[in-house]
Amino acid sequence: MAQCFQSVDLSWPGLMGLVFMILVLLMNSIAFSTNHWGIIKPVQKPWRFDEGFMGVLLYCKDSRCERYLDDQFLDVSTDVGMTQMTRASATLTMVAMLINFFALLQLTYSVGRKGNAGIVFDVAVANIIVGILSLASFAVFLAMLAELRTFRNIEKDYDFETGYSLGLSISSWIFSWIAGAIFFLETRSLVYMEVQNVREGGRGFL
């Protein structure tokens, strides 16, 4: 019986790219699910709370977490548009995770007898797209923090710092582009272009 699904045998650089892709998926997953994109630091006494934390879905102060509102933040009227900005950042991160996941599936469990070079090229493009989306997510949230730092009635009472979740978002887009560059270089190897390897669709990968 013909084999319908067969995995792609990876070269050593390809294995490095695969490791980077797995790390990117883990980092984006942790960043998405944690509330340490931004850190709220009260600067005026008496403090209403010791420290607060901001994620892409919720922000927390002390032990209470709340959803973002467009017209209010930290009991202060605002017009920063935090609901749209945090939702945009969350959506970009989620889409990046989905593309990364399907690229991993394509790389490790390819369909049919498609040539290796084509699969690797698709994965390279996917990694570049994941990096762009992660960069956009990071930029949107960072822009929101910058706006909060200068917003009237907030800047005098609070300071805003970046947290480890935002650092994970930064690392994810860097690692995505590294993986993308690795796989683009892999597609130029003559080994993947040999007729026998293309016919076997995944074998003969050095």
Side-chain angles (χ1 to χ4, degrees), residues 5 8 18 21-22 24-25 28-29 93-111 114 118-127 129-130 133 183:
F5 296 93
V8 176
L18 178 63
M21 290 178 66
I22 294 172
V24 167
L25 185 59
N28 273 331
S29 299
T93 301
M94 184 178 292
V95 173
M97 288 190 292
L98 289 173
I99 294 175
N100 192 3
F101 177 73
F102 284 115
L104 281 169
L105 288 182
Q106 185 180 25
L107 189 63
T108 58
Y109 210 55
S110 57
V111 179
K114 184 178 180 182
I119 294 173
V120 174
F121 179 80
D122 292 345
V123 171
V125 172
N127 275 284
I129 294 173
V130 168
L133 292 172
F183 286 118

Side-chain angles (χ1 to χ4, degrees), residues 2 4 27 31 54 60 73 83 88 96 98 104 112 131 137 140 149 151 159 165 167 171 174 179 184 187 198 204:
C4 294
M27 288 187 291
M54 302 171 64
C60 303
F73 183 61
T83 302
L98 289 173
L104 281 169
S137 177
V140 169
R149 287 193 186 105
F151 191 82
D159 190 22
S165 301
S171 300
I174 294 174
F184 269 126
T187 62
V198 172

